[in-house]
Structure formats: structure tokens, C-alpha cells
Coordinates of all heavy atoms in Angstrom, one line a residue:
D39 N -72.9 35.8 0.7 CA -72.6 34.7 -0.1 C -71.3 34.0 0.4 O -70.5 34.7 1.0 CB -72.3 35.1 -1.6 CG -72.5 34.0 -2.6 OD1 -71.7 33.0 -2.6 OD2 -73.4 34.1 -3.4
V40 N -71.2 32.7 0.2 CA -69.9 32.0 0.5 C -68.8 32.4 -0.4 O -67.6 32.3 -0.1 CB -70.1 30.5 0.6 CG1 -70.4 29.9 -0.8 CG2 -69.0 29.8 1.3
G41 N -69.2 32.8 -1.7 CA -68.3 33.3 -2.6 C -68.1 34.8 -2.6 O -68.5 35.4 -1.6
D42 N -67.5 35.3 -3.6 CA -67.2 36.8 -3.6 C -68.3 37.6 -4.2 O -68.5 37.7 -5.4 CB -65.9 37.0 -4.4 CG -65.4 38.4 -4.2 OD1 -66.0 39.2 -3.5 OD2 -64.4 38.8 -4.9
A43 N -69.1 38.2 -3.4 CA -70.2 39.1 -3.8 C -69.8 40.6 -3.8 O -70.6 41.4 -4.1 CB -71.5 38.9 -3.0
A44 N -68.5 40.8 -3.6 CA -68.0 42.2 -3.5 C -68.2 42.9 -4.9 O -68.6 44.1 -4.9 CB -66.6 42.2 -3.1
P45 N -68.0 42.2 -6.0 CA -68.2 42.9 -7.3 C -69.7 43.3 -7.5 O -69.9 44.4 -8.0 CB -67.8 41.9 -8.4 CG -66.8 41.0 -7.7 CD -67.3 40.9 -6.2
A46 N -70.6 42.5 -7.0 CA -72.0 42.9 -7.1 C -72.3 44.1 -6.2 O -73.0 45.0 -6.6 CB -72.9 41.7 -6.8
A47 N -71.7 44.1 -5.0 CA -71.9 45.2 -4.1 C -71.3 46.5 -4.7 O -71.8 47.6 -4.6 CB -71.3 44.9 -2.7
D48 N -70.1 46.3 -5.4 CA -69.5 47.5 -6.0 C -70.4 48.0 -7.1 O -70.4 49.2 -7.3 CB -68.1 47.1 -6.6 CG -67.1 46.8 -5.5 OD1 -67.3 47.2 -4.3 OD2 -66.1 46.1 -5.8
S49 N -71.0 47.1 -7.9 CA -71.9 47.6 -9.0 C -73.0 48.4 -8.4 O -73.4 49.4 -9.0 CB -72.5 46.4 -9.7 OG -71.4 45.7 -10.4
I50 N -73.6 48.0 -7.3 CA -74.6 48.8 -6.6 C -74.1 50.2 -6.2 O -74.8 51.2 -6.5 CB -75.2 48.0 -5.4 CG1 -76.0 46.8 -5.9 CG2 -76.1 48.9 -4.6 CD1 -76.5 45.9 -4.8
A51 N -72.9 50.2 -5.6 CA -72.4 51.5 -5.2 C -72.1 52.4 -6.4 O -72.3 53.6 -6.3 CB -71.1 51.2 -4.4
E52 N -71.6 51.8 -7.5 CA -71.4 52.6 -8.7 C -72.6 53.2 -9.3 O -72.6 54.3 -9.9 CB -70.7 51.7 -9.8 CG -69.3 51.3 -9.4 CD -68.7 50.3 -10.3 OE1 -69.5 49.9 -11.3 OE2 -67.6 49.8 -10.1
L53 N -73.8 52.6 -9.0 CA -75.1 53.1 -9.5 C -75.7 54.1 -8.4 O -76.8 54.5 -8.6 CB -76.0 52.0 -9.8 CG -75.6 51.1 -10.9 CD1 -76.5 49.8 -11.0 CD2 -75.7 51.9 -12.2
G54 N -74.9 54.3 -7.4 CA -75.4 55.3 -6.3 C -76.2 54.6 -5.2 O -76.7 55.3 -4.3
G55 N -76.2 53.3 -5.1 CA -76.8 52.6 -4.1 C -76.0 52.3 -2.9 O -74.8 52.6 -2.9
D56 N -76.6 51.8 -1.8 CA -75.9 51.5 -0.6 C -75.8 50.0 -0.4 O -76.9 49.3 -0.4 CB -76.6 52.1 0.6 CG -75.8 52.2 1.9 OD1 -74.6 51.9 1.8 OD2 -76.4 52.4 2.9
A57 N -74.6 49.4 -0.3 CA -74.5 47.9 -0.2 C -73.4 47.5 0.6 O -72.4 48.3 0.8 CB -74.4 47.4 -1.6
I58 N -73.4 46.3 1.2 CA -72.4 45.7 1.9 C -72.3 44.2 1.6 O -73.3 43.6 1.3 CB -72.6 45.9 3.4 CG1 -71.4 45.4 4.2 CG2 -73.8 45.2 3.9 CD1 -71.4 45.6 5.7
F59 N -71.1 43.7 1.5 CA -70.9 42.2 1.2 C -70.6 41.5 2.6 O -69.7 41.9 3.3 CB -69.7 42.1 0.3 CG -69.2 40.6 0.2 CD1 -70.1 39.5 0.2 CD2 -67.8 40.4 0.1 CE1 -69.6 38.2 0.1 CE2 -67.3 39.1 0.0 CZ -68.2 38.0 0.0
L60 N -71.4 40.5 2.8 CA -71.2 39.7 4.0 C -70.8 38.2 3.6 O -71.6 37.6 2.9 CB -72.5 39.6 4.9 CG -73.1 40.9 5.3 CD1 -74.5 40.7 5.9 CD2 -72.2 41.7 6.2
R61 N -69.7 37.8 3.9 CA -69.3 36.4 3.5 C -69.7 35.4 4.6 O -69.3 35.5 5.7 CB -67.7 36.3 3.3 CG -67.3 35.0 2.6 CD -65.8 34.9 2.5 NE -65.2 35.9 1.7 CZ -65.0 35.8 0.4 NH1 -65.5 34.7 -0.3 NH2 -64.5 36.7 -0.3
A62 N -70.4 34.4 4.1 CA -70.9 33.4 5.1 C -71.3 32.2 4.3 O -71.9 32.3 3.2 CB -72.0 33.9 6.0
D63 N -71.1 31.0 4.9 CA -71.7 29.7 4.4 C -73.0 29.5 5.1 O -73.0 29.3 6.4 CB -70.7 28.6 4.7 CG -71.1 27.3 4.1 OD1 -72.3 27.1 3.9 OD2 -70.2 26.4 3.9
V64 N -74.1 29.5 4.4 CA -75.4 29.4 5.1 C -75.6 28.1 5.8 O -76.5 27.9 6.6 CB -76.6 29.7 4.2 CG1 -76.5 31.2 3.7 CG2 -76.6 28.7 3.0

């Protein structure tokens, strides 16, 4: 996302998932 998707990635991690946030303007 061009914005901050880190909170969404953190939510996945808190649920036991594997996630990474990549910042980019498509």
C-alpha cells in the first residue's frame, strides 16, 4: 500500500499468521 498497512500486518501476526508490509505507490 502507499499508505500504512503495518497495522493490518500486525493484526495478522497477532492471529499467528505470517505477514510483511511493503510500501509502494502502484
